[in-house]
Amino acid sequence: MDLLKYAESQLMVKQSIPDFKAGDTVTISYKIKEGDKERVQQFTGVVIQRKGVGNVKTFTVRKISNGVGVERIFPLYSTFIESITVDKRGEVRRAKLFYLRGAIGKKAKIDELKGADIVAAQEPELAEK
Amino acid sequence: MSGILGKKIGMTNMFDVSGRYIACTVIEAGPCVVTQVKTTDKDGYNSVQLGFGERKEKHTTSPQMGHFKKAGTTPKKKVVEFRDFDGEEKKMGDVVTLDIFTEGEYVDVIGTSKGKGFQGVVKRHHFSGVGGATHGQHDRQRAGGSMGASSYPSHVFKGKRMPGRMGGDRVKARNLEVMKLIKDKNLLVVKGSVPGASGSFVIIHK
């Protein structure tokens, strides 16, 4: 298992990823290739889950766009992610917020975590080791 | 042909040059020791025998001990012969490492697939089963169906695909791209999956 961890640390491109978890509102700047042109798209929403181990971590962001729920799954270490910024810390009682999918009105609201500082971007976990 | 012996470590993902997310397998490949060299003059064909992995002396028979001693090496767990080994001529005791590979080239990986036990024809031979779940049918969804014709030929042909032991076979995965070589730990990263469980023994052909 240690050899696998070592290999993963060698295969990963070092990036700075801020500390965030389910319930937080984040903005992802995602690079999109159109032909030979490249542009950056913003996606803002609530993180409803983080999953995976090692290099295979992903997170899901949910937002309501024109009254329709939209979810996007991003690989955490994707080279297409230009930046992740944490806009708001949410106070939630579970790690996976799938209940948001069926929730409307007040039930779909996430309270802001009191006394939380927005921590600046940190070195990724794997790079630290 | 040239190659090396190794151990499957496990699977992970990586991003390639264009940013695509790719599943890949990490293999601990080598270093291997040349334990015997066969030549056309002496043995009728050219080959190189490689040994990989340490084995305890108390688990090695004395004829095997003699064989390894001749090559000037410790007892090895696995010994495999490669016919017509490429590259410069090998001598007994030479070490073969990952250096024979380059990133971007294609290799074949041979392993022993995971054992599945006694399985029916739907899983083992991809039969589709018989009929549907409704219209009065029952107990037929995973059945093999007809075994053949009736009074002629009056027997079931040899080789008819039937239930039985599945898995545990020698399987070769062909044309896997070498994604990365991590030489300080003898790690080879190939694109896609490799037959067998993590920790199992594999042969890598170039």
Side-chain angles (χ1 to χ4, degrees):
Chain A
M1 207 57 194
D2 286 333
L3 277 175
L4 189 62
K5 274 188 185 155
Y6 182 78
E8 283 185 334
S9 70
Q10 295 290 304
L11 294 173
M12 201 181 68
V13 184
K14 284 183 184 177
Q15 292 162 355
S16 59
I17 292 161
D19 171 40
F20 66 93
K21 59 184 182 179
D24 295 349
T25 305
V26 294
T27 303
I28 291 108
S29 305
Y30 199 73
K31 283 183 251 175
I32 288 174
K33 264 194 187 137
E34 282 168 343
D36 50 354
K37 264 187 278 177
E38 203 179 73
R39 64 187 180 84
V40 176
Q41 197 182 60
Q42 308 272 338
F43 192 91
T44 306
V46 179
V47 178
I48 62 165
Q49 75 164 334
R50 288 189 63 160
K51 64 183 278 188
V53 286
N55 280 12
V56 249
K57 286 185 186 124
T58 62
F59 61 98
T60 308
V61 183
R62 179 182 170 86
K63 73 167 180 183
I64 307 292
S65 173
N66 299 326
V68 182
V70 177
E71 282 179 21
R72 260 188 98 163
I73 302 167
F74 295 96
L76 188 62
Y77 302 121
S78 171
T79 44
F80 286 115
I81 293 179
E82 200 176 67
S83 70
I84 304 171
T85 50
V86 182
D87 304 332
K88 224 174 11 177
R89 298 256 172 218
E91 188 179 355
V92 287
R93 304 183 113 187
R94 54 212 73 214
K96 318 276 179 192
L97 309 179
F98 301 136
Y99 72 86
L100 286 178
R101 287 174 180 161
I104 40 169
K106 209 173 175 183
K107 285 214 166 93
K109 199 172 172 291
I110 291 174
D111 288 340
E112 199 166 342
L113 190 66
K114 280 172 199 142
D117 325 317
I118 307 256
V119 185
Q122 285 168 345
E123 280 298 298
E125 292 159 47
L126 273 165
E128 283 168 17
K129 278 173 195 168
Chain B
M1 183 175 72
S2 66
I4 203 166
L5 312 177
K7 192 170 105 174
K8 178 170 165 180
I9 298 297
M11 289 191 73
T12 183
N13 282 19
M14 67 179 286
F15 293 93
D16 72 356
V17 188
S18 60
R20 283 186 308 160
Y21 206 22
I22 284 171
C24 50
T25 310
V26 181
I27 300 168
E28 186 183 10
C32 294
V33 180
V34 176
T35 49
Q36 196 182 357
V37 179
K38 292 189 179 175
T39 56
T40 323
D41 301 339
K42 211 170 155 229
D43 308 281
Y45 62 98
N46 286 317
S47 82
V48 165
Q49 192 189 69
L50 298 181
F52 170 72
E54 291 307 311
R55 179 197 285 191
K56 279 184 183 166
E57 238 170 75
K58 68 173 179 183
H59 294 144
T60 314
T61 63
S62 41
Q64 282 172 337
M65 273 307 292
H67 183 72
F68 291 118
K69 218 170 182 179
K70 233 184 190 177
T73 171
T74 52
K76 298 293 173 203
K77 213 169 205 167
K78 290 281 176 183
V79 171
V80 172
E81 202 173 288
F82 291 81
R83 277 188 93 139
D84 302 315
F85 207 84
D86 295 337
E88 60 194 270
E89 215 170 291
K90 294 276 181 293
K91 288 195 302 291
M92 284 221 278
D94 281 1
V95 176
V96 179
T97 62
L98 272 187
D99 295 332
I100 59 171
F101 300 110
T102 51
E103 276 173 31
E105 76 174 343
Y106 291 86
V107 294
D108 296 341
V109 180
I110 301 164
T112 307
S113 63
K114 283 185 185 174
K116 306 287 180 199
F118 195 100
Q119 293 296 335
V121 286
V122 172
K123 190 185 181 92
R124 194 173 181 222
H125 300 299
H126 303 127
F127 282 20
S128 53
V130 176
T134 56
H135 293 296
Q137 299 198 57
H138 66 98
D139 297 350
R140 297 289 289 151
Q141 290 225 314
R142 299 186 72 88
S146 170
M147 303 287 286
S150 182
S151 52
Y152 182 77
S154 280
H155 67 93
V156 176
F157 288 118
K158 269 193 172 176
K160 172 74 190 150
R161 289 172 297 168
M162 285 200 229
R165 287 277 184 95
M166 185 184 171
D169 304 317
R170 180 189 162 103
V171 178
K172 184 190 264 185
R174 290 167 199 268
N175 293 326
L176 305 179
E177 192 181 342
V178 175
M179 302 300 289
K180 200 170 172 76
L181 299 167
I182 304 167
K183 286 186 177 163
D184 53 338
K185 297 263 185 193
N186 294 308
L187 296 176
L188 172 74
V189 182
V190 294
K191 187 174 171 181
S193 60
V194 160
S198 294
S200 65
F201 172 75
V202 290
I203 304 168
I204 302 135
H205 277 175
K206 197 175 157 182

